[in-house]
């Protein structure tokens, strides 16, 4: 933990936004340098103009690659496009529009030149494609320009195909490869034109008006829930006012500042400015207002993540809120399919497993990445999909799809509905789950690994784990593929009756991530974490543990 974690940012912590934007236009990537190539992770391509990993040439190439991809796929409808509040997002939006217009693509940007949250873009794509008359004009897809909760110097761009959610690895690999080809060839095949006369779409109005079909605002009003919402300087900033006004809520936007340097933030655990609403350090200033509202919430820069603060419990651990949300929703959404499953990523808390078992609902456990929830949310076979990193979405009252991307605004509103309907805060409800199912200790740590070891871990199979016990308990499962869809984990997960760990290589650092949990307390968790390193190390070295 950094010595200044949780303290206000000072002048020395802030980026020079003008220099950042200048570097966006001046620095040109070299496709032969790995760090400067286009690389799509679980949430698109991210980088910084300062390190020549997110510059104008990247966006020119990526956008042209998206155009080429959608042409190859026969996607002929409009492309919805939006951006968040990061300093690199506005210039990247202009660049992308240049290319879209130059290729004759009908681009739909925000009607009010407002910021666009990721869930609002997903909602727009689905609304178009679910309307037979509009769909007859061609399927829609979208681009969202955001690095999510990443620090202010970063930029990001993500492609959402017609299903509305994050593109799968086949699509992103094709787009990244094509973009790198374009950069290497000097961008000669990139078409550009002045982005004049671009069509518009009211992302905010359409999204906010439709919320009544998924959130019980009548209950929130009747209970007179006092809501505080902090956009953390992100794209949801004007959405909260619109929600308050349309649904007549007692809702206060506690911080309406938008500053691409994020000078009002407190430093995260590592001393960096990071707009993570699930981090106690990043949310330190928000937490000082915990007693002022029945529910206080935070969102990250593109509003795909949520942070839930209660007067009695402070900032809730994301895993805890997921478990509460699941129990509540499956008990209060009668329009959902009786066989609708509970979706979770395999590194989320096993409290979710126990809640799902109690509800007699099928648990659908998938690898890390929200893209895995897309098919189930689309057809209603998955009622709720959630990640341990504070990202989730769920179905409308009638059991049809809402978004196929994470929706932090939605989950924040759900917290108020839960408080209104149950009369108890989400943190109180989690305490009741603990009484019934046990109190898990959960933590994510990193272990040093060479690039070769990371590559080996990503390909490790369950059969290569030779251990039979973990922290004194018999191992009940060894997984290299997710139980829900048999997709490769990109690592391994080892389970016992009361504990588990999962190990996955980092995409950006020479470490691998260890997620671990124990229902036997912190001391047992520490044993699990220590033995996890031994088990993984022996597997990577080709030896077997006994």
């Amino acid at each position: 933990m950094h010595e200044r974690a949780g303290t206000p940012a000072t002048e020395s912590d802030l980026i020079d936004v003008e220099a950042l934007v200048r570097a966006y236009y001046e620095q040109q990537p070299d496709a032969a340098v790995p760090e400067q190539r286009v690389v799509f992770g679980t949430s698109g391509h991210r980088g910084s103009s300062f390190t020549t990993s997110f510059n104008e040439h990247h966006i020119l190439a990526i956008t042209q690659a998206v155009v080429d991809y959608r042409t190859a796929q026969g996607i002929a409808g409009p492309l919805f496009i939006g951006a968040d509040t990061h300093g690199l997002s506005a210039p990247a939006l202009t660049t992308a529009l240049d290319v879209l217009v130059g290729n004759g693509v009908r681009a739909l940007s925000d009607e009010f030149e407002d910021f666009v949250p990721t869930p609002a873009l997903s909602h727009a794509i689905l609304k178009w494609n679910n309307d037979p008359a509009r769909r007859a004009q061609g399927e829609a897809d979208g681009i969202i320009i955001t690095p999510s909760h990443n620090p202010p110097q970063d930029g990001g761009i993500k492609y959402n195909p017609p299903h509305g959610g994050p593109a799968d690895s086949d699509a992103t690999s094709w787009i990244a490869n094509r973009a790198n080809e374009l950069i290497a060839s000097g961008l000669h095949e990139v078409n550009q034109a002045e982005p004049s006369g671009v069509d518009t779409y009211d992302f905010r109005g359409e999204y906010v008006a439709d919320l009544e079909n998924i959130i019980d605002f009548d209950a929130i009003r009747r209970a007179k829930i006092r809501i505080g919402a902090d956009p953390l300087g992100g794209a949801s900033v004007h959405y909260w006012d619109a929600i308050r006004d349309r649904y007549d809520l007692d809702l206060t936007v506690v911080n309406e500042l938008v500053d691409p340097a994020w000078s009002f933030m407190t430093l995260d655990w590592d001393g960096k400015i990071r707009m993570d609403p699930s981090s106690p350090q990043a949310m330190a200033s928000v937490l000082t207002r915990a007693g002022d509202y029945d529910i206080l919430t935070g969102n990250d820069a593109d509003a795909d993540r949520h942070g839930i603060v209660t007067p009695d419990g402070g900032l809730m651990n994301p895993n805890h809120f997921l478990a509460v949300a699941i129990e509540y929703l499956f008990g209060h959404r009668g329009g959902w399919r009786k066989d609708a499953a509970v979706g979770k990523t395999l590194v989320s808390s096993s409290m979710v497993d126990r809640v799902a078992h109690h509800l007699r609902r099928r648990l659908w456990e998938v690898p890390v990445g929200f893209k895995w929830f897309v098919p189930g949310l689309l057809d209603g076979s998955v009622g709720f999909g959630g990640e341990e990193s504070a990202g989730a979405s769920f179905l409308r009252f009638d059991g049809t799809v809402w978004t196929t991307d994470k929706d932090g605004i939605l989950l924040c509103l759900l917290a108020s509905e839960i408080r209104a309907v149950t009369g108890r805060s989400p943190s109180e409800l989690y305490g009741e789950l603990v009484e019934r199912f046990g109190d898990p200790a959960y933590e994510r740590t990193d272990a040093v690994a060479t690039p070769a070891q990371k590559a080996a871990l990503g390909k490790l199979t369950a059969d290569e784990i030779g251990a039979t016990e973990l922290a004194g308990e018999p191992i009940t499962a060894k997984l290299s593929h997710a139980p829900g869809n048999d997709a490769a984990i990109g690592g391994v997960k080892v389970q016992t009756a009361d504990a588990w760990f999962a190990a996955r290589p980092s995409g950006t650092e020479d470490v691998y991530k260890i997620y671990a949990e124990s229902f036997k307390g912190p001391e047992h968790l520490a044993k699990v974490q220590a033995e996890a390193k031994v088990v993984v190390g022996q597997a990577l070295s080709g030896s077997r543990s006994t």
Side-chain angles (χ1 to χ4, degrees), residues 8 42 80 126 147 156 189 198 219 241 267 277-278 327 337 340 344 354 365-366 382 402 413 456 467 473 477:
T42 57
F80 292 94
L126 291 170
E189 296 179 70
V198 174
D241 283 338
L267 303 183
S278 67
E327 184 179 58
R337 284 169 42 170
K344 60 163 277 192
R354 299 186 181 196
E365 191 172 15
V366 298
V382 172
W402 169 254
L413 290 169
E473 290 190 317

Side-chain angles (χ1 to χ4, degrees), residues 60 94-104 190-196 198:
L60 289 169
T94 300
T95 302
L97 286 171
D98 286 350
V99 177
L100 294 172
V101 172
N103 283 275
V190 175
N191 301 311
Q192 293 179 259
E194 183 69 24
S196 58
V198 174

Side-chain angles (χ1 to χ4, degrees), residues 306 318-319 322 326 342-349 352 364-370 373 377 382-394 406 411:
H306 60 272
N319 277 306
L322 291 184
I326 288 165
V342 174
K344 60 163 277 192
T345 52
L346 58 82
V347 297
S348 300
S349 173
V352 172
W364 200 56
E365 191 172 15
V366 298
V368 173
F370 204 80
F373 296 124
L377 290 170
V382 172
F384 179 99
E387 300 180 319
E388 95 296 337
S389 57
S393 190
F394 54 90
K406 299 179 291 245
L411 271 291

Side-chain angles (χ1 to χ4, degrees), residues 123 127 205-214 247 396 402:
H123 180 271
K127 185 165 185 177
E206 297 285 350
Y207 174 90
V208 171
D210 206 10
L211 281 168
E212 64 185 9
N213 293 306
I214 192 168
Y247 297 106
R396 297 166 182 264
W402 169 254

Side-chain angles (χ1 to χ4, degrees), residues 226 228 283 286-298 307-317 321 324 412 415-416 418-419 424-431:
R226 293 171 298 120
M283 289 277 283
V286 183
L287 289 171
T288 62
R289 305 170 184 244
D292 298 341
Y293 304 96
D294 298 314
I295 293 290
L296 178 60
T297 65
I308 309 300
V309 179
T310 66
D312 57 287
L315 180 64
M316 290 190 71
N317 180 296
F321 184 66
V324 170
C412 289
S416 290
I418 291 172
R419 175 68 176 81
R424 297 188 295 283
S425 73
S427 48
E428 289 176 310
L429 293 173
Y430 184 74

